[in-house]
Amino acid sequence: MREIVFDTETTGVFPDHAEAEFRDRIVEIGCVEIVNLERTGREFHVYLNPERSVPEEVVRVHGLTRDFLLQHSKFAEVADLFLEFVGDSPLVAHNAAFDQGFINAELRRLGRTEAPSDRFIDTLQIARKKFPGASCSLDALARRYQLDRYGFDLAARKGAGGHGALIDARILAEVYLQLRGGREQRLVFEAEVPIESAESARPVQFMRREPRTAPLASRMNTEEMAAHEAFIATLGPNALWLKTGS
């Protein structure tokens, strides 16, 4: 099964603001392809010209300034590439309603078909069910699953500009695999041996080993045997060793 784990960075939180000049836009999209709960290595990443200003408080989060973004394409110019990459696969996001709102707002401006809600998988909801009462932010889940073991620089995300759509999508892909048990399932699949013939399908038969004709000689010396017998004597007449030992 093919799934697309993705993340967006934006100019704010209001993609459908009543006043056009205040409508927030996407400035970055990062996608990671997963097939059968395993990353394939295929990715899609673009920076986008939002055609509006970028608030300073938002720049402190993702580090993308208006001057930098003006050098890149508008969403309308890369929409076909994005839609071709995601195809009709389920879309996995953390707090998916946020990303869904922005993607659909961009598609709506172009008169394109919006992505329905049932196409989105929300890892935030999955995590809250799995860890009720615990913090389920992406950072918290990355720490819970110790993603620094897989080469992710979790400390860098705490600094200014530490968030990015592609790196967040990569982190989320690993979190999603952990939430779905992907790594454990893979170990099970790799351990399975295919049955190729009726001969190999027969149940395992264990051969009974004949008892030794003579017991093995004791490896204890005289002093050790005496010490052992003295210890047994301290256990009393009901000691189990007297019933089972020799």
Side-chain angles (χ1 to χ4, degrees), residues 218-230:
S218 174
R219 300 183 66 178
M220 298 176 62
N221 58 37
T222 303
E223 293 181 359
E224 290 171 336
M225 292 181 66
H228 175 68
E229 291 176 357

Side-chain angles (χ1 to χ4, degrees), residues 38 180-194:
E38 185 173 351
R180 294 285 303 275
R183 288 190 172 274
E184 289 78 4
Q185 289 185 31
R186 182 181 177 187
L187 290 175
V188 172
F189 293 153
E190 290 178 346
E192 290 180 352
V193 178

